[in-house]
Amino acid sequence: MRSLSGSGALTMGRGTIAGIDLDALLGSVDAEGGSTVFDSVQATFDIAKGVLRNDDLLMLLPNFNATGAGQVDLGAQRLDYTVTPKALRVNASRGGLAVPVRIRGPWADPEIKADLRAAIDLNFAEEKQRAEDVVRQKIQEELNIAPDDNRSTEDIVKDELENAVRRELFKLFD
């Protein structure tokens, strides 16, 4: 297994995954068992030294789609893969609500965690940018910084803090 190499592609039409119901899982925290009906699955992969890498998984379901990327170490039986299901009916005006889920660890007992930081970046990028713009404008007003100053907000605050400390230190020597 550790010496496998090659590449391939997977393309499947309508099918079922037994043991998990994604519709129920994404709609309720109490979902157990069941099955997921999907319309299609496709992916390509490369294998080198027994490690399979994929960055273009696409699974289409009636109410969701899911993308995926990561690696599966066949020899060590470990994986590090992120699947990003997107609920198409939630937040439909923006193309759906996406919550990346990272799956890491041994096949026998992988750790499965939602990546909330990535979910915020994916789903609320516009709001995040607007909030950053408001904060930057307030800092510029309070510190009397020119609007065309291209420094990052952190650099502006750091520089102004250093200048304030210098001014206070110089007062000690007057």
Side-chain angles (χ1 to χ4, degrees), residues 30 75 86 142 145:
D30 297 328
K86 183 184 284 190
E142 290 294 322
I145 305 295

Side-chain angles (χ1 to χ4, degrees), residues 87-154:
L88 301 174
R89 293 183 182 174
V90 178
N91 206 11
S93 65
R94 294 188 184 186
L97 177 67
V99 180
V101 177
R102 185 128 185 230
I103 306 164
R104 292 174 59 166
W107 293 359
D109 187 25
E111 177 182 75
I112 302 171
K113 286 187 176 180
D115 186 343
L116 297 179
R117 181 177 304 274
I120 290 169
D121 289 344
L122 282 171
N123 297 294
F124 303 105
E126 292 173 16
E127 290 86 347
K128 184 178 171 185
Q129 185 60 52
R130 278 197 300 268
E132 288 175 2
D133 291 345
V134 167
V135 168
R136 182 175 178 84
Q137 182 179 357
K138 287 287 186 194
I139 289 172
Q140 287 174 335
E141 289 171 5
E142 290 294 322
L143 299 176
N144 199 25
I145 305 295
D148 60 348
D149 192 324
N150 291 328
R151 293 177 292 168
S152 71
T153 303
E154 293 83 7

